Amino acid sequence: MTAAAIPRYRQLKELIIRRISTGELRPRDRVPSENELVDSTGVSRMTANRALRELNDEGYVDRVAGVGTFVADFKAASHVLEVRNIADEISLRGHDHSANILLSSETPADAIAAAALHVNINAPLLRLRLVHMESDIPIQLEDRFVLPEFAPEFLQQNFAGITPSAFLSSVSPLQEAEHVVRAAMPDEETRNSLNMEDNEPCLVVTRTTWAHGQPVSFARLYHPGSRFELSGHYAPPGAEAASRRPEHGARQNES
Amino acid sequence: MTAAAIPRYRQLKELIIRRISTGELRPRDRVPSENELVDSTGVSRMTANRALRELNDEGYVDRVAGVGTFVADFKAASHVLEVRNIADEISLRGHDHSANILLSSETPADAIAAAALHVNINAPLLRLRLVHMESDIPIQLEDRFVLPEFAPEFLQQNFAGITPSAFLSSVSPLQEAEHVVRAAMPDEETRNSLNMEDNEPCLVVTRTTWAHGQPVSFARLYHPGSRFELSGHYAPPGAEAASRRPEHGARQNES
DNA sequence: TAGTGGTCTAGACCACATA
DNA sequence: ATGTGGTCTAGACCACTAT
């Protein structure tokens, strides 16, 4: 009521986001309608509408006129986070994903990981190195560091069934991501792991993901230059119509 | 009035966007206030508010409570378009930009450019090759094709003062962009033009830009792997607060 | 003091889906 | 027929900024 506090539409949004992230509302579940929110929380319909409309704009829910509002499913959610799951990308292309774990241990932070995760050098981190295969062809070497406090059970997961990124998302919604893309020659170990030609460069993505306003994971992702590319598409929010191009061949989306 | 038509808040948005793109409203100019829109167009204040609020969310304008609404300046506008101008990036880093033109001519479309621009192979295109220098160090080789109908006077520009991308934006606002990023070894000409080491890979960005719902320009951008990287940051629309990291060293932003 | 954006209300009409 | 989202109105109170 008093305008000094957090606006009511914002409180509504956070309430619903909380219900989603705790799992109380699952993908494709129905979210309370505007009228139900009016009745249950006492706000006016315009306020309920704004909350749900913004959640829709932000990708958390899908609204269908005449039907209802529903929690966005996993694909849409990963779009919101802009952290694509390589297993999903591969299956979108109709191929099989598998993973070879190279290393799984607690290791001291190196200088770069320490800086990215805001911890001291040599602070203990959970480290996982694995190769993602697309129909048995290696496509990504993932070298990941995770803050132990964030996901103590990280290394105990069976990463044949879930990617590290997907597991971390399940622990807590990842709120922010920063990535850097560059081209570099691989060292010999990386080249061998990815079954690359001599003189073939890597597309290297380093990504830091945030949860609870803190960096919780840092990953270096190495991809064979001849078998991998990133693509992104931008259209201004207003212009929905124009050009809908189909997804292309063997590439990983990014945006 | 009749709800079958385009919503009034949307008409208002398009009206203001048109005033901006025609130059009638320039960056930092004051945009009509909510009350002025109420008086001049007859909508209610909530409707005017929604139009201006969405324009703010989309980056077209900046709103300051108690002060007014203003056209976003160039930096924000280029963010909206997600087509960064390398000259601006370089000057943001406090360095000087210059350009060496390698080629400027009308040439027949090759297979890739033809596909990207939706024209036949060998259709006449305006082609420009130039090297962008950051403080006299080559940082990008731009190989660009432009649809003659879109900008017949393209090759007559003086690209010492304006980048090709900026010039094209000035011809007509670019509405959409698609880019693909990959790592590849340069051919010898490219390596020499960019003053690269032997065995140094390129970060290659291919970008197609749309205007009027049509692809109008296609560019291949080659960057030395050792001196260039792309970075992107994502935060969900709601979470403004959390982590504002400073801009890093010698890199080109992308998002 | 007057103007601005930020929010909120309690109604209203509409097109559309579902039952 | 009912419920849904989509939009719109004509007021209102607030905090803030500028004069």
Side-chain angles (χ1 to χ4, degrees):
Chain A
M1 208 79 76
T2 52
I6 297 171
R8 307 178 81 133
Y9 75 91
R10 207 176 255 280
Q11 296 180 35
L12 275 182
K13 286 174 62 178
E14 284 168 12
L15 174 72
I16 292 165
I17 289 176
R18 211 176 317 127
R19 286 188 192 171
I20 293 173
S21 59
T22 61
E24 179 186 339
L25 288 174
R26 307 195 46 114
R28 297 177 184 269
D29 278 0
R30 194 173 161 284
V31 172
S33 72
E34 297 182 0
N35 285 325
E36 287 167 349
L37 288 176
V38 167
D39 294 342
S40 66
T41 70
V43 301
S44 77
R45 209 196 127 199
M46 277 298 281
T47 299
N49 172 271
R50 179 165 179 186
L52 291 177
R53 177 160 40 83
E54 292 194 0
L55 287 175
N56 179 65
D57 293 344
E58 292 162 16
Y60 289 102
V61 302
D62 293 325
R63 313 195 76 191
V64 183
V67 181
T69 300
F70 305 89
V71 177
D73 61 7
F74 186 62
K75 191 195 297 185
S78 81
H79 174 67
V80 168
L81 293 179
E82 203 190 21
V83 178
R84 299 304 184 99
N85 187 327
I86 192 164
D88 290 342
E89 292 290 337
I90 289 172
S91 63
L92 269 178
R93 296 197 282 270
H95 294 167
D96 293 322
H97 170 263
S98 56
N100 283 349
I101 294 180
L102 303 181
L103 181 115
S104 170
S105 70
E106 184 177 306
T107 58
D110 64 31
I112 296 174
L117 295 176
H118 299 178
V119 297
N120 293 328
I121 290 185
N122 292 330
L125 295 177
L126 308 181
R127 184 177 190 184
L128 181 70
R129 280 170 64 91
L130 75 170
V131 177
H132 294 278
M133 322 279 281
E134 173 164 4
S135 299
D136 297 325
I137 298 172
I139 195 88
Q140 180 186 93
L141 170 62
E142 173 172 359
D143 189 10
R144 182 175 290 275
F145 298 84
V146 175
L147 228 56
E149 308 87 271
F150 177 68
E153 70 285 28
F154 178 66
L155 294 181
Q156 278 72 55
Q157 302 311 307
N158 172 12
F159 290 111
I162 186 172
T163 62
S165 167
F167 171 71
L168 293 174
S169 292
S170 76
V171 171
S172 171
L174 302 176
Q175 298 177 327
E176 293 187 65
E178 176 161 327
H179 56 265
V180 176
V181 181
R182 61 182 213 277
M185 297 308 292
D187 58 30
E188 192 172 333
E189 184 188 348
T190 301
R191 178 169 57 242
N192 290 337
S193 299
L194 289 172
N195 209 0
M196 293 170 64
E197 307 280 328
D198 287 358
N199 208 38
E200 180 183 348
C202 270
L203 188 71
V204 186
V205 178
T206 51
R207 177 179 290 157
T208 308
T209 45
W210 273 257
H212 316 303
Q214 270 199 329
V216 298
S217 180
F218 170 76
R220 298 190 191 90
L221 310 171
Y222 299 85
H223 312 85
S226 63
R227 302 197 290 275
F228 189 89
E229 57 191 25
L230 289 163
S231 73
H233 178 75
Y234 175 78
E240 301 289 332
S243 53
R244 274 302 143 243
R245 277 159 305 290
E247 285 302 317
H248 303 61
R251 58 173 59 159
Q252 165 90 358
N253 283 327
E254 174 259 358
S255 161
Chain B
M1 208 82 74
T2 53
I6 298 172
R8 308 179 80 135
Y9 76 89
R10 210 176 253 281
Q11 296 180 34
L12 274 182
K13 285 174 65 178
E14 283 168 13
L15 174 73
I16 292 165
I17 289 176
R18 211 176 318 128
R19 286 189 191 168
I20 293 173
S21 59
T22 61
E24 179 187 340
L25 287 175
R26 307 194 45 117
R28 297 177 184 268
D29 277 0
R30 193 174 163 282
V31 172
S33 72
E34 296 182 1
N35 285 324
E36 287 167 350
L37 289 175
V38 168
D39 294 341
S40 66
T41 71
V43 301
S44 76
R45 210 198 124 196
M46 276 298 281
T47 300
N49 171 272
R50 179 166 177 185
L52 292 177
R53 178 159 41 82
E54 291 193 359
L55 288 174
N56 180 66
D57 293 343
E58 291 162 16
Y60 288 102
V61 303
D62 293 324
R63 313 195 77 193
V64 183
V67 181
T69 299
F70 305 90
V71 177
D73 62 8
F74 185 61
K75 191 195 299 186
S78 79
H79 174 66
V80 169
L81 292 179
E82 202 188 23
V83 179
R84 299 304 184 98
N85 187 326
I86 191 164
D88 291 343
E89 292 290 338
I90 289 172
S91 63
L92 270 178
R93 296 197 281 270
H95 295 165
D96 293 321
H97 170 262
S98 57
N100 283 349
I101 294 179
L102 304 180
L103 181 113
S104 170
S105 69
E106 184 177 304
T107 58
D110 64 32
I112 296 175
L117 294 177
H118 299 178
V119 297
N120 293 328
I121 289 186
N122 292 330
L125 295 176
L126 308 181
R127 184 176 189 185
L128 181 69
R129 280 170 64 92
L130 73 170
V131 176
H132 295 277
M133 321 280 281
E134 174 165 3
S135 299
D136 297 326
I137 297 171
I139 194 88
Q140 179 187 92
L141 170 61
E142 173 172 0
D143 189 9
R144 181 176 291 273
F145 299 84
V146 175
L147 228 55
E149 309 87 270
F150 177 68
E153 69 286 26
F154 177 66
L155 294 180
Q156 279 72 57
Q157 302 311 306
N158 172 12
F159 289 111
I162 186 171
T163 62
S165 166
F167 171 71
L168 293 174
S169 293
S170 76
V171 171
S172 171
L174 302 177
Q175 298 177 328
E176 293 188 63
E178 175 161 326
H179 54 266
V180 177
V181 181
R182 60 182 214 277
M185 297 308 293
D187 59 29
E188 190 172 334
E189 186 189 347
T190 302
R191 178 168 57 244
N192 290 337
S193 298
L194 289 172
N195 209 0
M196 292 169 63
E197 307 280 329
D198 286 359
N199 207 37
E200 179 182 351
C202 270
L203 189 69
V204 186
V205 178
T206 52
R207 176 180 291 159
T208 308
T209 46
W210 273 257
H212 316 304
Q214 271 199 328
V216 297
S217 181
F218 170 77
R220 297 190 192 92
L221 311 171
Y222 299 86
H223 312 85
S226 64
R227 302 198 288 276
F228 190 87
E229 57 190 25
L230 290 163
S231 72
H233 178 76
Y234 175 77
E240 300 289 332
S243 53
R244 275 302 143 238
R245 276 161 304 291
E247 285 302 317
H248 304 60
R251 60 173 59 158
Q252 166 88 359
N253 282 326
E254 176 260 357
S255 160

mmCIF file of all heavy atoms in Angstrom, chain A residues 3 12 18 52 75-76 103 108 110 112 118 151 167 189 220-221 225 227 234-235 240-241 243:
data_model
loop_
_atom_site.group_PDB
_atom_site.id
_atom_site.type_symbol
_atom_site.label_atom_id
_atom_site.label_comp_id
_atom_site.label_asym_id
_atom_site.label_seq_id
_atom_site.Cartn_x
_atom_site.Cartn_y
_atom_site.Cartn_z
ATOM 1 N N ALA A 3 3.681 3.526 -0.797
ATOM 2 C CA ALA A 3 4.483 3.448 -2.015
ATOM 3 C C ALA A 3 5.981 3.365 -1.730
ATOM 4 O O ALA A 3 6.762 3.136 -2.640
ATOM 5 C CB ALA A 3 4.203 4.647 -2.913
ATOM 6 N N LEU A 12 4.446 -9.592 -6.497
ATOM 7 C CA LEU A 12 3.749 -10.707 -7.136
ATOM 8 C C LEU A 12 4.705 -11.505 -8.017
ATOM 9 O O LEU A 12 4.708 -12.739 -8.006
ATOM 10 C CB LEU A 12 2.585 -10.189 -7.987
ATOM 11 C CG LEU A 12 1.262 -9.939 -7.270
ATOM 12 C CD1 LEU A 12 0.214 -9.490 -8.276
ATOM 13 C CD2 LEU A 12 0.811 -11.222 -6.580
ATOM 14 N N ARG A 18 9.499 -17.428 -7.102
ATOM 15 C CA ARG A 18 9.921 -18.289 -6.013
ATOM 16 C C ARG A 18 9.217 -19.638 -6.112
ATOM 17 O O ARG A 18 9.824 -20.687 -5.940
ATOM 18 C CB ARG A 18 9.626 -17.609 -4.670
ATOM 19 C CG ARG A 18 10.626 -17.982 -3.576
ATOM 20 C CD ARG A 18 10.358 -17.211 -2.282
ATOM 21 N NE ARG A 18 10.061 -15.814 -2.526
ATOM 22 C CZ ARG A 18 8.979 -15.178 -2.053
ATOM 23 N NH1 ARG A 18 8.095 -15.844 -1.312
ATOM 24 N NH2 ARG A 18 8.777 -13.907 -2.306
ATOM 25 N N LEU A 52 2.056 -10.556 -14.375
ATOM 26 C CA LEU A 52 2.083 -11.720 -15.262
ATOM 27 C C LEU A 52 2.615 -11.359 -16.639
ATOM 28 O O LEU A 52 3.321 -12.143 -17.273
ATOM 29 C CB LEU A 52 0.669 -12.316 -15.378
ATOM 30 C CG LEU A 52 0.144 -12.984 -14.100
ATOM 31 C CD1 LEU A 52 -1.282 -13.466 -14.289
ATOM 32 C CD2 LEU A 52 1.053 -14.138 -13.688
ATOM 33 N N LYS A 75 12.975 -25.573 -22.267
ATOM 34 C CA LYS A 75 13.648 -24.931 -23.390
ATOM 35 C C LYS A 75 13.567 -23.416 -23.277
ATOM 36 O O LYS A 75 14.554 -22.723 -23.411
ATOM 37 C CB LYS A 75 13.016 -25.377 -24.710
ATOM 38 C CG LYS A 75 13.840 -24.967 -25.921
ATOM 39 C CD LYS A 75 13.030 -25.096 -27.192
ATOM 40 C CE LYS A 75 12.634 -26.544 -27.443
ATOM 41 N NZ LYS A 75 11.938 -26.679 -28.739
ATOM 42 N N ALA A 76 12.375 -22.937 -23.002
ATOM 43 C CA ALA A 76 12.214 -21.494 -22.859
ATOM 44 C C ALA A 76 13.037 -20.975 -21.694
ATOM 45 O O ALA A 76 13.651 -19.926 -21.763
ATOM 46 C CB ALA A 76 10.752 -21.137 -22.670
ATOM 47 N N LEU A 103 38.198 -36.090 -15.583
ATOM 48 C CA LEU A 103 38.714 -35.790 -14.248
ATOM 49 C C LEU A 103 37.556 -35.311 -13.383
ATOM 50 O O LEU A 103 36.664 -34.615 -13.853
ATOM 51 C CB LEU A 103 39.770 -34.681 -14.334
ATOM 52 C CG LEU A 103 40.432 -34.268 -13.028
ATOM 53 C CD1 LEU A 103 41.912 -34.608 -13.064
ATOM 54 C CD2 LEU A 103 40.255 -32.789 -12.769
ATOM 55 N N PRO A 108 42.765 -27.107 -6.014
ATOM 56 C CA PRO A 108 42.938 -25.695 -5.651
ATOM 57 C C PRO A 108 42.692 -24.803 -6.864
ATOM 58 O O PRO A 108 42.984 -25.171 -7.996
ATOM 59 C CB PRO A 108 44.399 -25.621 -5.190
ATOM 60 C CG PRO A 108 45.059 -26.811 -5.795
ATOM 61 C CD PRO A 108 44.015 -27.867 -5.970
ATOM 62 N N ASP A 110 43.083 -22.178 -9.672
ATOM 63 C CA ASP A 110 44.192 -21.504 -10.350
ATOM 64 C C ASP A 110 43.871 -20.010 -10.419
ATOM 65 O O ASP A 110 42.797 -19.553 -10.012
ATOM 66 C CB ASP A 110 44.442 -22.110 -11.738
ATOM 67 C CG ASP A 110 43.277 -21.914 -12.690
ATOM 68 O OD1 ASP A 110 42.561 -20.905 -12.590
ATOM 69 O OD2 ASP A 110 43.077 -22.789 -13.552
ATOM 70 N N ILE A 112 43.125 -17.869 -12.760
ATOM 71 C CA ILE A 112 42.002 -17.374 -13.547
ATOM 72 C C ILE A 112 40.671 -17.756 -12.921
ATOM 73 O O ILE A 112 39.761 -16.940 -12.781
ATOM 74 C CB ILE A 112 42.118 -17.904 -14.993
ATOM 75 C CG1 ILE A 112 43.385 -17.321 -15.632
ATOM 76 C CG2 ILE A 112 40.883 -17.532 -15.793
ATOM 77 C CD1 ILE A 112 43.683 -17.882 -17.004
ATOM 78 N N HIS A 118 35.892 -15.050 -7.503
ATOM 79 C CA HIS A 118 36.082 -14.159 -6.341
ATOM 80 C C HIS A 118 36.512 -14.946 -5.106
ATOM 81 O O HIS A 118 35.976 -14.726 -4.018
ATOM 82 C CB HIS A 118 34.796 -13.370 -6.040
ATOM 83 C CG HIS A 118 34.360 -12.492 -7.165
ATOM 84 N ND1 HIS A 118 33.208 -11.729 -7.093
ATOM 85 C CD2 HIS A 118 34.895 -12.221 -8.359
ATOM 86 C CE1 HIS A 118 33.045 -11.062 -8.223
ATOM 87 N NE2 HIS A 118 34.074 -11.350 -9.012
ATOM 88 N N ALA A 151 27.312 -26.187 -4.440
ATOM 89 C CA ALA A 151 26.789 -27.521 -4.764
ATOM 90 C C ALA A 151 27.773 -28.573 -4.266
ATOM 91 O O ALA A 151 28.551 -29.131 -5.036
ATOM 92 C CB ALA A 151 26.575 -27.663 -6.267
ATOM 93 N N PHE A 167 22.717 -29.665 -14.179
ATOM 94 C CA PHE A 167 22.668 -29.994 -12.749
ATOM 95 C C PHE A 167 22.752 -28.730 -11.900
ATOM 96 O O PHE A 167 21.989 -28.542 -10.957
ATOM 97 C CB PHE A 167 23.802 -30.947 -12.372
ATOM 98 C CG PHE A 167 23.928 -31.132 -10.895
ATOM 99 C CD1 PHE A 167 22.970 -31.857 -10.199
ATOM 100 C CD2 PHE A 167 24.963 -30.533 -10.201
ATOM 101 C CE1 PHE A 167 23.062 -31.997 -8.819
ATOM 102 C CE2 PHE A 167 25.065 -30.669 -8.819
ATOM 103 C CZ PHE A 167 24.113 -31.398 -8.135
ATOM 104 N N GLU A 189 47.049 -31.964 -25.184
ATOM 105 C CA GLU A 189 46.064 -32.789 -24.490
ATOM 106 C C GLU A 189 44.651 -32.472 -24.985
ATOM 107 O O GLU A 189 43.856 -33.369 -25.251
ATOM 108 C CB GLU A 189 46.165 -32.526 -22.982
ATOM 109 C CG GLU A 189 45.248 -33.416 -22.171
ATOM 110 C CD GLU A 189 45.228 -32.999 -20.704
ATOM 111 O OE1 GLU A 189 46.080 -32.179 -20.296
ATOM 112 O OE2 GLU A 189 44.339 -33.483 -19.981
ATOM 113 N N ARG A 220 35.651 -23.400 -18.772
ATOM 114 C CA ARG A 220 36.284 -23.189 -20.066
ATOM 115 C C ARG A 220 35.761 -24.271 -21.004
ATOM 116 O O ARG A 220 35.824 -25.459 -20.677
ATOM 117 C CB ARG A 220 37.805 -23.314 -19.979
ATOM 118 C CG ARG A 220 38.481 -22.302 -19.090
ATOM 119 C CD ARG A 220 40.008 -22.385 -19.296
ATOM 120 N NE ARG A 220 40.725 -21.628 -18.285
ATOM 121 C CZ ARG A 220 41.132 -22.127 -17.125
ATOM 122 N NH1 ARG A 220 40.909 -23.391 -16.825
ATOM 123 N NH2 ARG A 220 41.784 -21.363 -16.268
ATOM 124 N N LEU A 221 35.254 -23.854 -22.132
ATOM 125 C CA LEU A 221 34.668 -24.797 -23.069
ATOM 126 C C LEU A 221 35.453 -24.723 -24.379
ATOM 127 O O LEU A 221 35.474 -23.678 -25.041
ATOM 128 C CB LEU A 221 33.193 -24.442 -23.316
ATOM 129 C CG LEU A 221 32.346 -24.234 -22.046
ATOM 130 C CD1 LEU A 221 30.982 -23.665 -22.404
ATOM 131 C CD2 LEU A 221 32.200 -25.537 -21.277
ATOM 132 N N GLY A 225 37.463 -26.115 -34.039
ATOM 133 C CA GLY A 225 37.075 -25.044 -34.953
ATOM 134 C C GLY A 225 36.372 -25.547 -36.204
ATOM 135 O O GLY A 225 35.540 -24.849 -36.779
ATOM 136 N N ARG A 227 34.345 -28.069 -36.410
ATOM 137 C CA ARG A 227 33.082 -28.765 -36.190
ATOM 138 C C ARG A 227 32.123 -27.983 -35.300
ATOM 139 O O ARG A 227 31.128 -28.536 -34.835
ATOM 140 C CB ARG A 227 33.334 -30.131 -35.523
ATOM 141 C CG ARG A 227 34.239 -31.051 -36.297
ATOM 142 C CD ARG A 227 34.098 -32.488 -35.813
ATOM 143 N NE ARG A 227 34.653 -32.714 -34.488
ATOM 144 C CZ ARG A 227 35.927 -32.987 -34.238
ATOM 145 N NH1 ARG A 227 36.795 -33.044 -35.232
ATOM 146 N NH2 ARG A 227 36.335 -33.196 -33.015
ATOM 147 N N TYR A 234 19.491 -11.413 -33.571
ATOM 148 C CA TYR A 234 18.880 -10.343 -32.816
ATOM 149 C C TYR A 234 17.775 -9.668 -33.599
ATOM 150 O O TYR A 234 17.923 -9.351 -34.773
ATOM 151 C CB TYR A 234 19.907 -9.282 -32.401
ATOM 152 C CG TYR A 234 19.214 -8.145 -31.728
ATOM 153 C CD1 TYR A 234 18.803 -8.270 -30.412
ATOM 154 C CD2 TYR A 234 18.908 -6.982 -32.421
ATOM 155 C CE1 TYR A 234 18.106 -7.265 -29.797
ATOM 156 C CE2 TYR A 234 18.214 -5.971 -31.807
ATOM 157 C CZ TYR A 234 17.816 -6.113 -30.492
ATOM 158 O OH TYR A 234 17.117 -5.118 -29.886
ATOM 159 N N ALA A 235 16.664 -9.469 -32.961
ATOM 160 C CA ALA A 235 15.584 -8.657 -33.520
ATOM 161 C C ALA A 235 15.079 -7.762 -32.413
ATOM 162 O O ALA A 235 15.009 -8.184 -31.263
ATOM 163 C CB ALA A 235 14.456 -9.549 -34.045
ATOM 164 N N GLU A 240 8.349 -8.708 -34.204
ATOM 165 C CA GLU A 240 8.254 -10.161 -34.099
ATOM 166 C C GLU A 240 8.200 -10.800 -35.484
ATOM 167 O O GLU A 240 8.742 -11.863 -35.724
ATOM 168 C CB GLU A 240 6.980 -10.555 -33.339
ATOM 169 C CG GLU A 240 6.900 -9.995 -31.940
ATOM 170 C CD GLU A 240 7.879 -10.669 -31.006
ATOM 171 O OE1 GLU A 240 8.199 -11.824 -31.260
ATOM 172 O OE2 GLU A 240 8.339 -10.014 -30.054
ATOM 173 N N ALA A 241 7.505 -10.139 -36.361
ATOM 174 C CA ALA A 241 7.085 -10.774 -37.599
ATOM 175 C C ALA A 241 8.230 -11.181 -38.517
ATOM 176 O O ALA A 241 8.445 -12.353 -38.787
ATOM 177 C CB ALA A 241 6.149 -9.838 -38.355
ATOM 178 N N SER A 243 11.662 -11.858 -40.239
ATOM 179 C CA SER A 243 12.317 -13.008 -40.856
ATOM 180 C C SER A 243 12.530 -14.116 -39.850
ATOM 181 O O SER A 243 13.356 -14.009 -38.964
ATOM 182 C CB SER A 243 13.665 -12.565 -41.420
ATOM 183 O OG SER A 243 14.387 -11.912 -40.400
#
